[in-house]
Amino acid sequence: MQILTALLAFVLAAGLGGVLVAGLVMPAVGAVGTVSTATTDMFDDLPSELAIPAPSEQSVMLAADGSTLATFYAEHRIVVGLEQVSQHMRDAVVAVEDKRFYAHRGIDPEGTLRAAVNNAVGGQMAGGSTLTQQYVKNVLIEAGRVSGDDGAILAATETSLGRKLREARLAIGLEQRVSKDDILEGYVNIAQFGPSVYGVEAAARHYFNTSAADLGIAESALLAGITQSPARLDPVNNPENAQERRDVVLGTMVDQGFITQAEYDEAVATPIADMLDVQIAPNGCGAAGTAAYFCEYVVKDLLNDASWGNDRADRQQKLYRGGLVIHTTLDPAKQQTAYDSVTASVPVNDPSGIEMALSSVEPGTGKILAMAQNTNYGTVATQEDPGAMQLNLNVGLQHGGGYGFHSGSSFKVFTLIEWLESGHALNDRVASTKRNYPRASWNISCAPEHRADYDNATNLEGVSASPRMSVLEATRLSINLTYLEMANQMDMCDVIGNAASMGLTQGDGSPLMPNPAAVLGTNPVTPLGMANAFATLAAGGTYCTPVAITQVTGRAGDEIPVPPSSCTQVLEPHIVNGVNHALQRVVSTQRGSTGRSAVLAGRPAAGKTGTANDETHAWFVGYTPQLAAAVWMGHSHADVPMMDTVINGRHNQWVFGGSYPAETWQRYMTRSLEGAPVERFPQAAARQIFGERVRVPDVTGRSVKKAKAILAEGGFEVRVGAPTESGEPAGAVASTSPAPGARVTPGATVTIIPSAGPAAELQPGPPSEPPSGPPSGSPEGDGDEGN
């Protein structure tokens, strides 16, 4: 019978060109041990298709605690080993697809002959494919999908004997190299089990909310039947068709002894509706909830990284088909706190239309811990959700954001850094009322073309109380005019260089512009950029590139290179300590401190407010030694003033960085640092606070004119006080304040006290009558009370 089968196969196949001869003859004749060496040699040079690639598999993005943020897939598939598939599922597949699977060697002569005879006599084109052949077909289709080769997909699915012969040849070769169980494992992982579900594990989760390992008899039969026509037999959209097909599979299982009659009866009596617990697998960042914008940042980070693939298309293939596990830095608790803090200040779709964003970074590592904004993630704004957007307000263009926002006075910190680096001190007194600075007065060595007149400058947040004030006080009160004077005394390129060394760029990635207006924050920057720059101060001058990804592993557990992170010491610690000293005064309860709404109970903090011209943007950027965060609020589409607006039901005549942004920052930091140890900033050195101390010259006894000249020559500011009686001649200097020899900051004010001459001596008078009145010792006889 075997010989007759082989000869008939030879005749039929020879009529089609003889291609299938060896494939049909070898299994049949090989069964009786007569396979010739020449016959098997023809499979030594099989096509490259038999280098079976791993099928496309979904990638998953995880938060820092291992929880799932999002999944990504071109085909919803989760690859599992055969040991993770229930025996019922394996039996159902073999029963309905290829009952002689464990007996044949790639093709089934009986099935093939039946199909060939049917086709030869003009019947409907029949398959006769073994499970191995179906696996080969699915592999070829998948290879076409992965490569984007529509021609390969067409060739693998066309209705032709040529395609059947090719499948047969590959199936025979595959079975010579791969075990039956490996082929079955490959099949159940690559087969399509529904309109958009691939592989048995994804199918089990999708239809039944269970795993492939726990599939029962009825569930296994239902899934095994779907592969014949995934759309027509989908139990969700076509339950009647699916039930009919399920029952056919159950019948084959009982006929072949895989299940008992009782098990069959129970399974066919189960309605399809009672079996289903459909779960829709999310695809993309939309499923990440409040972390959707962070998720998009991670995706952009990967797709922009040249080391992660040959080109963007190659990187997308890895993400959507590579079965990656992407570990990120996001702290879910801090992320929720950030979102709650932002929306408590400005709710989603607040009638004001004002937007708010918060980015938080870990100092010393650059890890992005939270990234939130008061908008819902969505591709299209609707009437129900007019604020929905995919624009990430925290980042620049490269990572799915915009061009950034004017930072206002929060940018003053970079001038303060340069002030200390150039040898000045916090207690230096600087002019605080000068409003006009001509073009020629600016030093911009790296780009002199950016010099410009700066006229009619004003203070937005603080108000100067005197013509000169200390830098420390000007920082606490955020005095614009003081900072303009400071910057005018230095090279603007050095000021901007500090910001650049701390990672700051414009939102489009271009360098910051070193023009005079930059002192007060006219460069458009991002919340993430500002948070990370200020984190450099929290870390003692160590700048770290912001990092969102800690590790990426492939489907085999192999590590894949990720965008690198690096940390560099860019500021001297003693300079940083001086800056931190000043910025802690901003976040204090002292009257007039612009950051007083950001004070943390029992915990030191430092930061800076910022308000752009016309209150179009408001900021608070602050930090503790463990955590940094930046809060921005405004309108993303244009520079729209926020004054005289109702925000979250509250009318505001003015909106400053010290209001909503500082309050939001305070809420976020308070909750995020609950339970964390209280850490303090290192003390600032006297040099940074007071500068190089000099002694006050002794001008006592000199003329006021001469004394003024001596003190002025020493760099001191001089005042002349009211004369006082002293032993010095009238008109000479009686004393100074501070006293001679006192160590003070260069440029400090010394007050000269002129002498009014010696005190008049009391002359004895003529004897007088004793005074009349009450006797000595009475109350009225007491001395001059109140003088």
Side-chain angles (χ1 to χ4, degrees):
M1 187 62 188
Q2 288 175 327
I3 295 174
L4 180 61
T5 299
L7 289 174
L8 181 56
F10 177 83
V11 172
L12 290 172
L16 300 170
V19 181
L20 193 55
V21 173
L24 292 174
V25 173
M26 187 186 69
V29 180
V32 294
T34 59
V35 179
S36 69
T37 301
T39 303
T40 56
D41 285 348
M42 74 170 291
F43 297 104
D44 289 344
D45 188 28
L46 282 168
S48 60
E49 291 101 321
L50 281 184
I52 304 293
S56 297
E57 186 174 359
Q58 71 174 24
S59 295
V60 61
M61 183 185 295
L62 306 178
D65 65 353
S67 59
T68 298
L69 291 177
T71 54
F72 305 86
Y73 55 85
E75 298 168 9
H76 178 36
R77 177 185 285 112
I78 303 168
V79 175
V80 293
L82 192 61
E83 71 280 1
Q84 295 171 276
V85 180
S86 75
Q87 188 63 51
H88 294 308
M89 184 65 200
R90 301 184 218 175
D91 293 342
V93 169
V94 171
V96 73
E97 297 292 348
D98 189 357
K99 66 181 181 181
R100 285 182 289 276
F101 172 65
Y102 284 99
H104 65 65
R105 300 187 181 182
I107 63 171
D108 180 8
E110 180 180 334
T112 301
L113 286 173
R114 187 183 304 110
V117 170
N118 181 75
N119 297 336
V121 299
Q124 184 177 1
M125 187 69 72
S129 294
T130 63
L131 195 150
T132 308
Q133 288 174 272
Q134 293 178 56
Y135 175 47
V136 166
K137 174 184 176 180
N138 281 320
V139 166
L140 296 176
I141 294 172
E142 176 68 4
R145 288 196 188 113
V146 171
S147 63
D149 187 346
D150 293 337
I153 297 174
L154 181 62
T157 56
E158 66 182 358
T159 304
S160 70
L161 289 174
R163 190 259 293 177
K164 285 287 187 180
L165 296 176
R166 181 188 184 202
E167 282 178 9
R169 178 170 179 251
L170 293 174
I172 295 167
L174 183 63
E175 291 231 5
Q176 288 187 335
R177 302 183 182 188
V178 179
S179 72
K180 290 286 187 179
D181 280 352
D182 285 344
I183 292 170
L184 180 58
E185 176 182 307
Y187 174 82
V188 297
N189 277 300
I190 202 170
Q192 186 173 354
F193 287 91
S196 59
V197 185
Y198 297 81
V200 65
E201 179 68 20
R205 297 187 188 188
H206 174 70
Y207 289 115
F208 312 122
N209 193 21
T210 189
S211 68
D214 295 326
L215 289 170
I217 294 172
E219 295 165 330
S220 298
L222 181 65
L223 293 186
I226 292 175
T227 60
Q228 184 187 68
S229 179
R232 185 176 63 85
L233 299 175
D234 173 29
V236 175
N237 296 312
N238 298 296
E240 294 181 358
N241 294 344
Q243 180 165 332
E244 182 180 348
R245 176 65 175 166
R246 179 203 66 182
D247 294 348
V248 169
V249 176
L250 289 169
T252 62
M253 292 179 74
V254 72
D255 289 346
Q256 296 173 33
F258 288 119
I259 58 175
T260 66
Q261 185 64 43
E263 289 172 325
Y264 169 85
D265 293 340
E266 180 183 0
V268 296
T270 305
I272 293 292
D274 292 350
M275 297 174 61
L276 298 181
D277 182 6
V278 177
Q279 305 294 313
I280 304 300
N283 188 10
C285 289
T290 69
Y293 296 101
F294 172 83
C295 173
E296 276 292 341
Y297 178 95
V298 173
V299 171
K300 296 291 192 300
D301 219 22
L302 291 172
L303 298 184
N304 291 337
D305 182 22
S307 69
W308 207 60
N310 297 327
D311 51 32
R312 193 175 182 86
D314 185 34
R315 297 164 211 155
Q316 283 183 315
Q317 286 279 49
K318 280 187 178 180
L319 177 62
Y320 287 94
R321 294 183 180 275
L324 307 178
V325 178
I326 304 164
H327 301 264
T328 74
T329 60
L330 190 85
D331 182 320
K334 288 183 174 61
Q335 174 63 28
Q336 189 61 51
T337 297
Y339 180 78
D340 292 344
S341 300
V342 165
T343 55
S345 289
V346 188
V348 175
N349 291 321
D350 188 73
S352 67
I354 290 172
E355 296 151 341
M356 178 177 275
L358 184 155
S359 282
S360 183
V361 174
E362 182 178 70
T365 66
K367 291 181 178 179
I368 303 170
L369 303 179
M371 183 179 287
Q373 61 193 60
N374 68 329
T375 63
N376 292 322
Y377 181 86
T379 55
V380 180
T382 64
Q383 187 174 357
E384 294 76 21
D385 193 356
M389 61 170 65
Q390 281 188 301
L391 180 72
N392 188 340
L393 302 176
N394 280 284
V395 300
L397 287 174
Q398 188 178 25
H399 286 96
Y403 290 91
F405 313 106
H406 294 166
S407 59
S409 291
S410 61
F411 201 85
K412 288 174 181 171
V413 67
F414 306 110
T415 297
L416 180 61
I417 292 169
E418 184 57 30
W419 184 257
L420 297 181
E421 285 185 333
S422 59
H424 295 91
L426 296 176
N427 272 5
D428 291 352
R429 299 183 69 81
V430 180
S432 57
T433 56
K434 185 177 177 181
R435 299 179 61 194
N436 299 303
Y437 293 87
R439 180 180 187 278
S441 68
W442 291 98
N443 179 13
I444 309 178
S445 60
C446 60
E449 68 276 10
H450 288 307
R451 293 189 302 171
D453 293 333
Y454 201 111
D455 299 330
N456 299 316
T458 59
N459 290 315
L460 287 180
E461 296 183 329
V463 178
S464 175
S466 62
R468 297 178 69 83
M469 66 193 316
S470 72
V471 169
L472 188 62
E473 190 72 352
T475 303
R476 186 179 73 85
L477 299 174
S478 196
I479 305 300
N480 288 351
L481 302 183
T482 303
Y483 266 83
L484 282 171
E485 176 63 24
M486 292 162 60
N488 190 253
Q489 295 179 25
M490 302 181 294
D491 190 336
M492 276 300 300
C493 294
D494 294 332
V495 172
I496 295 300
N498 290 324
S501 72
M502 297 162 74
L504 208 58
T505 66
Q506 296 190 59
D508 63 1
S510 61
L512 301 170
M513 186 178 296
N515 59 334
V519 177
L520 303 181
T522 56
N523 276 292
V525 295
T526 66
L528 177 60
M530 290 293 280
N532 202 46
F534 276 57
T536 303
L537 299 172
T542 298
Y543 166 73
C544 299
T545 54
V547 58
I549 306 167
T550 57
Q551 184 185 46
V552 177
T553 56
R555 67 182 87 224
D558 52 310
E559 284 204 32
I560 296 172
V562 298
S565 175
S566 61
C567 295
T568 309
Q569 188 78 30
V570 297
L571 298 175
E572 294 295 332
H574 64 276
I575 300 296
V576 172
N577 293 344
V579 174
N580 291 346
H581 178 84
L583 296 187
Q584 287 180 82
R585 297 291 185 90
V586 174
V587 189
S588 73
T589 57
Q590 188 176 354
R591 181 179 176 85
S593 297
T594 56
R596 60 189 177 276
S597 294
V599 171
L600 304 178
R603 189 184 297 273
K608 187 69 191 74
T609 55
T611 309
N613 283 344
D614 299 323
E615 299 172 43
T616 53
H617 306 279
W619 295 73
F620 187 83
V621 190
Y623 52 95
T624 66
Q626 306 107 305
L627 189 63
V631 178
W632 162 88
M633 70 181 295
H635 294 85
S636 61
H637 65 279
D639 293 333
V640 180
M642 292 185 287
M643 61 186 74
D644 195 26
T645 55
V646 176
I647 302 173
N648 196 11
R650 188 174 86 193
H651 179 265
N652 302 269
Q653 184 178 2
W654 315 105
V655 176
F656 294 124
S659 58
Y660 290 92
E663 294 165 6
T664 304
W665 184 91
Q666 195 273 348
R667 275 195 298 272
Y668 168 74
M669 296 292 282
T670 297
R671 286 179 53 190
S672 292
L673 292 171
E674 285 179 356
V678 175
E679 295 188 17
R680 302 192 180 279
F681 297 101
Q683 290 292 322
R687 170 65 185 81
Q688 275 66 54
I689 299 175
F690 302 106
E692 295 290 348
R693 311 301 288 277
V694 295
R695 293 184 183 278
V696 175
D698 187 354
V699 293
T700 306
R702 296 179 180 273
S703 69
V704 171
K705 180 178 180 181
K706 182 62 175 176
K708 289 173 68 175
I710 292 171
L711 291 170
E713 186 177 351
F716 297 96
E717 294 289 329
V718 182
R719 286 182 179 176
V720 178
T724 186
E725 296 173 340
S726 77
E728 299 293 337
V733 176
S735 65
T736 60
S737 178
R743 298 184 67 85
V744 297
T745 302
T749 298
V750 176
T751 301
I752 293 173
I753 309 299
S755 174
E761 295 182 6
L762 295 176
Q763 301 297 324
S768 59
E769 294 292 329
S772 61
S776 176
S778 70
E780 289 84 354
D782 283 349
D784 300 322
E785 185 177 1
N787 287 345

